[in-house]
Amino acid sequence: MPQLLDKSIEILSHRHLRGPNMWSYNPALEVLIDIGELEDYPSDKIPGFYERLSTCLPSLHEHRCSYGEPGGFLKRVEEGTWPGHILEHLTLELQNLAGIPGGFGRARDGGRRGVYKVIVSATEEAVTLQAFTYARDLLLTLIQDNGDPIAQRNFIIEELRELSDDLCLGPSTACIVNAATAREIPYIRLSSGNLVQLGYGSKQRRIWTAETDQTSAIAETISRDKDLTKSLLASAGVPTPEGRTVTSPDDAWEAAQDIGLPVVVKPIDGNHGRGVFINLYTQQEIEAAYLVAINEGSEVLVERHIVGDEHRLLVVGNKVVAAAKGETVWVTGDGKHTIEDLIQIQINSDPRRGNSEEHPLNPVRIDSAVELELARQQLAGDSVPAVDHKVLIQSNGNVAFDVTDLVHPDVASQVALAARVVGLEIAGIDLVAQDISRPLGEQNAAIVEVNAGPGLLMHLKPASGKAQPVGEAITDHLFPPNVDFRIPIIGISGSKGRTITAEMVAHFARLTNVHVGLSSSKDLYFGSRLIHRTSKSNWENGRRTLQNRAIEFAVIENDNASLLLEGLSYDQCQVGIVLNIDPQGLFPEYNISDDEQLFNVVRTQVDVVLPTGICVLNADDPMITKMAELSKGEVMYFSEDPHSAVITEHQQKKGRSIIATPKAITLMQGAIQTKVIPVPPSIQNRPKSEWMPHLSLAAAIGAAWALDIPLNIIQAGVETFVPNTKNTTEV
């Protein structure tokens, strides 16, 4: 369509909302775009666009959009919709096809003609921004009809997969994080790798793949030393193969003769099966295997060969939760192709094989181990086997075939004992057995290795059999069900009075002998220690508080700008306080230009209150009282007017309320007076502004009451609170 060839879509700006925000409970990317003259060309006005789009991405049929049914989005395209809306769905679908989790999206007016906000879920900012950029380029190709959109789509998916492999969590770590998220256990990624914090403050646990903060360094060191591991297991009565370390090819042959042929030769501290040779009979084989194995580790181990298949069993908290079996790999001759060709034709063509973490089986290549295996059969990679002649390629192929349901109780018991002997709470135990459904002693089977930080992919995506919920097992081990995994978090928002309210709440909590983290607009305190910070980001200060292992109670202040531009630093909170809303405090530069849009920004604080938590709301602000219906937890009001309609109705429902005057704070349960706390002179004499300090005191007392801090301690806290004189003019 010639008139559309010069039309474009400009990305004006973007920002990453790193926590719950006005759009979503999860991190999101908000992109401002200008579609220019394409504002005059909704999708139904572009000849052939619907057909090109649905052909390029037929999986868009699953997008329900506003119709709430499969095909809903494509129906909108057929009826006519604009590029911003289409970009939202393209970005999500390209990520989905690349295996990147997501699903939330919105497209909204950007405040002027042709300008739109597009919001999509985004755990990793760089990945989603790249996906959005690629989506824009693909959309222009589809609009202008001047390229090969299918080839472009395939290129994009491959590029996004590579970027995701580089920047996103690996599959083992991700499965634990996903299981934790399903239980609403929050997580914080602590590095660009796979170091992740689950939970907040003093109740946090850390993982790195399948290692945890309770993985002993001594146990990990033991597991790397195969000879030492065998010695410890043998002393505990766990069956292990006889063997010893060797120092040279000659010594390897001598050890093999002492042990008895056949033998296994492997590096003493190798991993992933590299340099492992099994079922060796001859001096030539053993000496050749030694030369390969020594390059994969610091020493070489020769041990008795155990007849059977290799198995990997995953132990979590003294229980076997998954098991996988290895299978030998063969090719069959056809009299035409070389062994190297047959490997590609018969083995690597299997769609389960690949180099990415999404593939349960690795490609096979002719390395030193395969060369040795072929040499034992008097063959080489360029040999052409006769028709129907079977050639063994790997004796210890990928351990990726699920056998969890077959594990005999005796095997599970011995394997769990092996993990305990080494000292690992999570371990991958390698054993060789002919039949995993029979006791080890019946078949002369043995445990050959104990691994710390085992990979989980073989259990998540087995080559055959059912996937095992190993992420859930590890999560339940770290955070046993029915045990509270949250520290109290009090979130405070409002246009005025936030800082002194936060200081009061923190002071009340300190009197209960807990270590309090206070993140306010001006200060960051851990306990009574002031932490000097150059950053004024609410999100960064709040996140730093939640990462501190010593923090047992967190008070986090959030201004409206932070809610709009960063999102919250926590996923959910026990108490959410909304003090007031200044209707003049709009953000026209971010298209927040009226009360409704401002309401959507501030309501985030109420949205994240736990079902077991409490919202403390200002009953004298009509915009805030509208938020009460959004609360999943209890609502507690504070007010200067004991006769307000909101307070009267709340008291009739037996709700808790607080009446505040400059002289006294009165706590009410329904219409019954529970406690009267005098307002001390230090608060009465505080400089007045648009927001009265006794109202901050009422909100702070409400938060303490909500957390079941004894009323006598709250009163003592009121009497001993000393306002921060630096904050006399602060919000």
Side-chain angles (χ1 to χ4, degrees):
M1 191 173 183
Q3 66 266 38
L4 292 177
L5 290 177
D6 61 344
K7 305 298 185 289
S8 188
I9 300 171
E10 183 181 0
I11 298 176
L12 301 176
S13 64
H14 75 276
R15 62 174 175 268
H16 190 214
L17 304 172
R18 297 178 283 182
N21 54 78
M22 66 180 293
W23 307 110
S24 167
Y25 286 106
N26 301 308
L29 185 73
E30 182 180 298
V31 186
L32 193 68
I33 62 169
D34 186 347
I35 66 173
E37 295 179 38
L38 286 172
E39 179 71 21
D40 297 322
Y41 294 91
S43 53
D44 63 323
K45 302 296 185 186
I46 304 173
F49 177 79
Y50 173 85
E51 290 74 17
R52 292 192 294 273
L53 176 65
S54 56
T55 300
C56 179
L57 288 165
S59 52
L60 285 172
H61 177 74
E62 299 303 316
H63 291 220
R64 295 171 174 264
C65 203
S66 55
Y67 287 97
E69 59 185 28
F73 168 66
L74 289 176
K75 186 175 181 180
R76 287 287 307 277
V77 172
E78 195 169 24
E79 292 173 345
T81 190
W82 278 262
H85 182 208
I86 300 171
L87 263 179
E88 168 206 333
H89 286 268
L90 281 184
T91 303
L92 293 173
E93 188 56 26
L94 289 173
Q95 289 190 114
N96 180 58
L97 293 172
I100 301 167
F104 170 82
R106 292 287 186 274
R108 293 292 183 264
D109 177 69
R112 62 182 188 273
R113 176 178 166 79
V115 175
Y116 293 84
K117 285 181 181 178
V118 181
I119 306 96
V120 289
S121 53
T123 301
E124 294 298 325
E125 176 184 7
V127 174
T128 302
L129 181 59
Q130 185 62 70
F132 188 92
T133 304
Y134 280 145
R136 186 270 310 269
D137 297 342
L138 179 60
L139 177 57
L140 289 173
T141 297
L142 292 165
I143 289 173
Q144 297 168 354
D145 191 18
N146 64 347
D148 183 347
I150 294 178
Q152 188 175 353
R153 174 205 65 193
N154 293 338
F155 169 80
I156 289 170
I157 292 170
E158 187 60 33
E159 289 292 302
L160 288 178
R161 282 176 178 159
E162 291 185 10
L163 188 62
S164 175
D165 287 344
D166 291 340
L167 299 180
C168 294
L169 293 173
S172 294
T173 307
C175 85
I176 303 171
V177 169
N178 292 340
T181 301
R183 283 186 52 194
E184 297 188 344
I185 299 170
Y187 78 94
I188 298 173
R189 191 172 182 180
L190 298 175
S191 72
S192 59
N194 288 303
L195 179 61
V196 173
Q197 171 185 322
L198 300 175
Y200 295 143
S202 62
K203 293 189 176 182
Q204 68 177 268
R205 297 294 304 272
R206 290 177 182 171
I207 61 169
W208 192 317
T209 312
E211 292 187 65
T212 79
D213 47 15
Q214 296 300 309
T215 300
S216 162
I218 293 176
E220 186 172 9
T221 301
I222 291 171
S223 71
R224 289 177 179 173
D225 187 329
K226 295 178 175 60
D227 203 23
L228 176 58
T229 298
K230 284 176 54 184
S231 174
L232 293 174
L233 294 181
S235 68
V238 177
T240 60
E242 178 188 356
R244 68 174 176 87
T245 56
V246 296
T247 58
S248 67
D250 290 341
D251 192 24
W253 172 238
E254 183 177 336
Q257 291 176 299
D258 293 339
I259 295 166
L261 300 172
V263 295
V264 172
V265 176
K266 61 185 179 182
I268 197 168
D269 51 2
N271 52 44
H272 300 293
R274 289 191 289 266
V276 177
F277 300 90
I278 67 173
N279 202 24
L280 304 181
Y281 279 90
T282 69
Q283 181 176 358
Q284 181 181 3
E285 291 174 344
I286 292 165
E287 291 179 350
Y290 175 90
L291 295 174
V292 175
I294 192 64
N295 290 323
E296 296 290 346
S298 60
E299 291 183 279
V300 174
L301 180 66
V302 176
E303 59 186 22
R304 175 173 55 88
H305 172 71
I306 306 296
V307 177
D309 294 317
E310 184 179 355
H311 295 77
R312 162 63 66 85
L313 284 79
L314 179 67
V315 176
V316 177
N318 201 35
K319 180 182 178 182
V320 172
V321 299
K325 176 184 174 182
E327 293 187 356
T328 53
V329 181
W330 304 76
V331 295
T332 302
D334 61 4
K336 300 177 181 179
H337 294 92
T338 65
I339 290 175
E340 188 169 8
D341 291 336
L342 291 172
I343 288 173
Q344 298 302 319
I345 295 169
Q346 298 180 11
I347 299 175
N348 290 340
S349 60
D350 188 334
R352 298 173 299 177
R353 292 189 181 273
N355 291 312
S356 79
E357 293 179 321
E358 297 300 313
H359 296 89
L361 299 173
N362 295 324
V364 174
R365 61 184 181 88
I366 298 183
D367 56 13
S368 55
V370 174
E371 287 176 349
L372 183 57
E373 193 65 66
L374 293 175
R376 296 172 63 191
Q377 303 167 74
Q378 299 182 336
L379 295 169
D382 58 359
S383 301
V384 179
V387 175
D388 295 331
H389 178 68
K390 292 180 70 66
V391 178
L392 178 61
I393 303 300
Q394 287 181 339
S395 298
N396 54 339
N398 291 96
V399 181
F401 300 86
D402 181 71
V403 291
T404 303
D405 294 339
L406 302 179
V407 177
H408 191 278
D410 173 74
V411 175
S413 175
Q414 293 281 353
V415 165
L417 174 59
R420 292 202 305 276
V421 168
V422 174
L424 293 169
E425 59 172 351
I426 300 175
I429 310 295
D430 292 339
L431 66 84
V432 177
Q434 298 174 58
D435 186 351
I436 199 73
S437 66
R438 292 167 50 210
L440 298 182
E442 287 185 4
Q443 51 185 315
N444 200 30
I447 291 175
V448 296
E449 284 187 28
V450 176
N451 301 277
L456 305 178
L457 187 60
M458 66 185 71
H459 307 302
L460 297 170
K461 294 188 176 182
S464 68
K466 64 182 181 181
Q468 298 298 324
V470 293
E472 288 83 348
I474 293 174
T475 299
D476 289 347
H477 171 67
L478 296 173
F479 299 92
N482 303 318
V483 175
D484 185 11
F485 54 79
R486 289 187 177 274
I487 64 170
I489 297 175
I490 293 79
I492 302 168
S493 64
S495 300
K496 296 287 184 180
R498 296 185 312 274
T499 301
I500 189 172
T501 304
E503 291 171 351
M504 290 174 178
V505 175
H507 178 66
F508 299 159
R510 291 188 191 108
L511 296 181
T512 65
N513 294 317
V514 294
H515 196 67
V516 179
L518 168 61
S519 170
S520 73
S521 294
K522 301 298 182 181
D523 298 321
L524 179 64
Y525 278 92
F526 294 158
S528 58
R529 183 167 60 98
L530 175 64
I531 307 299
H532 297 288
R533 292 283 287 165
T534 56
S535 169
K536 293 184 180 179
S537 164
N538 285 26
W539 190 92
E540 290 179 9
N541 283 342
R543 185 53 61 96
R544 185 174 179 182
T545 302
L546 300 174
Q547 287 179 210
N548 190 318
R549 282 182 174 273
I551 298 302
E552 300 170 289
F553 188 108
V555 183
I556 300 176
E557 175 190 334
N558 307 288
D559 61 29
N560 291 350
S562 177
L563 290 173
L564 174 64
L565 303 177
E566 300 179 295
L568 291 169
S569 58
Y570 45 88
D571 67 324
Q572 296 184 84
C573 62
Q574 276 66 27
V575 178
I577 301 175
V578 185
L579 298 171
N580 44 64
I581 299 178
D582 179 4
Q584 302 303 313
L586 302 174
F587 300 90
E589 66 273 29
Y590 299 110
N591 196 36
I592 305 299
S593 305
D594 58 38
D595 288 354
E596 181 180 355
Q597 292 169 327
L598 185 60
F599 175 90
N600 288 332
V601 173
V602 180
R603 64 167 284 181
T604 305
Q605 181 64 80
V606 174
D607 288 334
V608 299
V609 172
L610 287 159
T612 55
I614 297 179
C615 287
V616 180
L617 304 179
N618 183 354
D620 300 335
D621 189 320
M623 193 180 297
I624 293 176
T625 58
K626 284 172 55 181
M627 296 180 186
E629 63 188 31
L630 304 173
S631 175
K632 296 185 288 290
E634 180 187 342
V635 172
M636 180 190 300
Y637 285 113
F638 65 93
S639 173
E640 289 188 293
D641 181 6
H643 305 296
S644 78
V646 173
I647 292 294
T648 299
E649 181 182 355
H650 193 61
Q651 290 178 344
Q652 290 173 350
K653 296 177 181 178
K654 309 299 183 183
R656 289 192 279 182
S657 58
I658 302 172
I659 307 303
T661 71
K663 298 294 184 180
I665 307 296
T666 303
L667 283 62
M668 307 287 293
Q669 179 74 61
I672 300 173
Q673 188 178 103
T674 301
K675 182 80 172 177
V676 177
I677 300 176
V679 177
S682 60
I683 299 299
Q684 292 186 38
N685 299 331
R686 189 175 174 86
K688 304 299 187 295
S689 62
E690 296 176 23
W691 178 250
M692 299 303 176
H694 63 275
L695 292 176
S696 285
L697 178 60
I701 289 174
W705 190 17
L707 292 165
D708 295 324
I709 294 177
L711 295 180
N712 62 325
I713 291 181
I714 296 175
Q715 181 162 356
V718 172
E719 293 170 355
T720 58
F721 176 71
V722 178
N724 186 339
T725 56
K726 294 186 303 177
N727 295 332
T728 54
T729 60
E730 291 178 8
V731 291

